[in-house]
Amino acid sequence: NAGVTQTPKFRILKIGQSMTLQCTQDMNHNYMYWYRQDPGMGLKLIYYSVGAGITDKGEVPNGYNVSRSTTEDFPLRLELAAPSQTSVYFCASRANSNQPQHFGDGTRLSIL
Amino acid sequence: AQKVTQAQTEISVVEKEDVTLDCVYETRDTTYYLFWYKQPPSGELVFLIRRNSFDEQNEISGRYSWNFQKSTSSFNFTITASQVVDSAVYFCALSERSGNQFYFGTGTSLTVIP
């Protein structure tokens, strides 16, 4: 199994550009999550989803949007990129509330 | 309020020393789950262990052991005879049966000095 796959691994954006971070999982997990991790810091929840068609805001949703049209995919959209969004972004999934989250390898995003 | 507290921001030990990473959690649920993750310098997040609120037995896996105490709301992680490869950031996390989120602590950065 591939697990959780994130693309791209690295990206440099200019201020004001937009992009979509892709996340797909092949474990048929209902729950999916997006986190950002700033240098030397912990994980902050951006958005999460408990199933196809259902999404909810986390701790730091401003400047981001998500959609969940299928169980497998949970893309994260950045509109009008700002330097404050420079971070490493992690996608995770899990089957239910008693299971661990499985993480992708992360996307390192720099906005200049 | 912070649901998971890892008071130790950074710890340094000399190789072969034992080290304990503290984790204190807060929840009103009677059914909940606790986790530890490791994030080595390469950046990936690696799941180490899960404990549910009904099982207070300590767990040992090689040089790693975990002590879960509901009376003090703690889930501490001990590395015995530490090695340089143990150098990483370690995160404790909580999941409640009634909720959908996963609450991470702020992490403890462990450096093992050769």
Side-chain angles (χ1 to χ4, degrees), chain A residues 42-61:
Chain A
L43 297 162
K44 292 186 177 179
L45 181 64
I46 306 171
Y47 272 96
Y48 66 98
S49 168
V50 300
I54 306 169
T55 63
D56 210 343
K57 295 178 181 179
E59 181 185 359
V60 290

Side-chain angles (χ1 to χ4, degrees), chain B residues 6-103:
Chain B
Q6 295 180 255
Q8 304 153 307
T9 306
E10 295 181 0
I11 300 176
S12 291
V13 298
V14 176
E15 200 171 20
K16 298 184 182 177
E17 287 184 345
D18 299 347
V19 58
T20 295
L21 310 182
D22 298 332
C23 174
V24 174
Y25 63 91
E26 179 183 334
T27 179
R28 293 183 178 179
D29 276 29
T30 56
T31 302
Y32 53 90
Y33 311 93
L34 297 164
F35 307 82
W36 275 95
Y37 283 81
K38 175 182 181 179
Q39 187 175 39
S42 51
E44 71 273 22
L45 283 145
V46 179
F47 163 66
L48 294 177
I49 191 171
R50 180 196 76 155
R51 258 331 210 207
N52 70 51
S53 52
F54 299 109
D55 185 359
E56 283 195 75
Q57 284 190 2
N58 291 335
E59 174 112 2
I60 298 175
S61 176
R63 295 184 298 105
Y64 294 174
S65 62
W66 291 269
N67 181 267
F68 175 29
Q69 291 194 342
K70 289 178 74 170
S71 61
T72 55
S73 296
S74 65
F75 186 44
N76 296 337
F77 174 26
T78 297
I79 301 174
T80 303
S82 59
Q83 299 177 1
V84 172
V85 294
D86 296 327
S87 295
V89 179
Y90 291 86
F91 291 97
C92 180
L94 165 73
S95 175
E96 299 164 324
R97 192 177 79 167
S98 65
N100 299 317
Q101 294 193 31
F102 211 79
Y103 301 97

Side-chain angles (χ1 to χ4, degrees), chain A residues 2-97:
Chain A
V4 179
T5 302
Q6 291 184 237
T7 56
K9 293 191 184 304
F10 305 95
R11 184 74 184 268
I12 298 175
L13 283 182
K14 293 182 179 179
I15 295 171
Q17 286 185 321
S18 300
M19 78 163 292
T20 299
L21 281 65
Q22 301 292 344
C23 176
T24 187
Q25 52 94 5
D26 62 0
M27 297 172 283
N28 201 34
H29 286 170
N30 287 322
Y31 296 72
M32 295 188 75
Y33 303 80
W34 274 106
Y35 296 91
R36 60 176 287 173
Q37 185 178 32
D38 298 335
M41 305 296 284
L43 297 162
K44 292 186 177 179
L45 181 64
I46 306 171
Y47 272 96
Y48 66 98
S49 168
V50 300
I54 306 169
T55 63
D56 210 343
K57 295 178 181 179
E59 181 185 359
V60 290
N62 291 344
Y64 307 94
N65 278 301
V66 293
S67 60
R68 185 95 182 270
S69 57
T70 67
T71 298
E72 295 77 19
D73 300 308
F74 190 40
L76 177 72
R77 178 86 177 159
L78 276 73
E79 305 282 1
L80 298 175
S84 61
Q85 293 178 304
T86 293
S87 191
V88 179
Y89 291 83
F90 287 100
C91 179
S93 74
R94 63 173 176 163
N96 53 51
S97 64

